[in-house]
Amino acid sequence: MKHTLGKLERLKSKKLIEKLYQDGNSVKLFPLRMMYLQTAHTSDFPAQVGVSVAKRNFKLAVDRNRIKRLMREAYRLQKEIVYDQLEDPYVFMISYLGKEEVPYQEVYLKMKILLTLFVKETKSKKNETL
């Protein structure tokens, strides 16, 4: 699998983002929260992902952009955790909840645990419906 995060893998649709926040579920691992929703999207990839950082917590755009860059990089390098387990298409929005910037190593580790939690939760929900 290529470790890229191309245009088709990014969540850009305003309609999908609204639907995600209205109907989606979430998994939290401070300082990250992942909102997710199993729904069809326009991409051939198993998931589309977006990242966000609250302006309320980080006033300067350079700080918000740096954290978003770190989160995208951590996701890009570990997305096979999710891709290997998904059969249905999903959309994600990963939000940064912290009030201070953390080092990249911590973001990387928390992202890994968050993705693993997501896989476990989706597997358990799928088993409940069967």
Side-chain angles (χ1 to χ4, degrees), residues 10-22:
R10 295 179 188 232
L11 180 59
K12 298 287 185 181
S13 167
K14 289 188 191 261
K15 287 181 184 177
L16 275 180
I17 292 171
E18 282 179 20
K19 187 175 177 185
L20 171 66
Y21 279 107
Q22 288 173 357

Side-chain angles (χ1 to χ4, degrees), residues 93-126:
M93 181 62 80
I94 302 172
S95 302
Y96 189 85
L97 303 175
K99 297 199 184 308
E100 289 139 18
E101 189 175 340
V102 295
Y104 174 70
Q105 290 81 10
E106 188 174 338
V107 173
Y108 184 88
L109 179 66
K110 299 288 181 151
M111 184 69 71
K112 184 175 188 174
I113 298 169
L114 184 74
L115 295 175
T116 308
L117 282 172
F118 162 73
V119 168
K120 284 181 185 173
E121 190 163 310
T122 55
K123 290 282 184 198
S124 68
K125 284 189 179 183
K126 194 169 194 173

Side-chain angles (χ1 to χ4, degrees), residues 27-76:
V27 177
K28 273 190 207 173
L29 181 71
F30 190 82
L32 303 175
R33 178 183 70 196
M34 175 192 281
M35 293 287 295
Y36 65 92
L37 181 65
Q38 192 278 311
T39 184
H41 51 74
T42 57
S43 172
D44 293 333
F45 291 97
Q48 283 190 328
V49 65
V51 296
S52 69
V53 179
K55 193 174 188 177
R56 175 180 5 152
N57 297 337
F58 294 93
K59 303 292 185 214
L60 299 178
V62 293
D63 295 334
R64 291 193 304 276
N65 291 340
R66 175 171 167 71
I67 294 169
K68 288 190 282 189
R69 218 172 19 250
L70 295 177
M71 290 168 46
R72 278 193 298 267
E73 180 70 4
Y75 175 80
R76 179 186 73 82

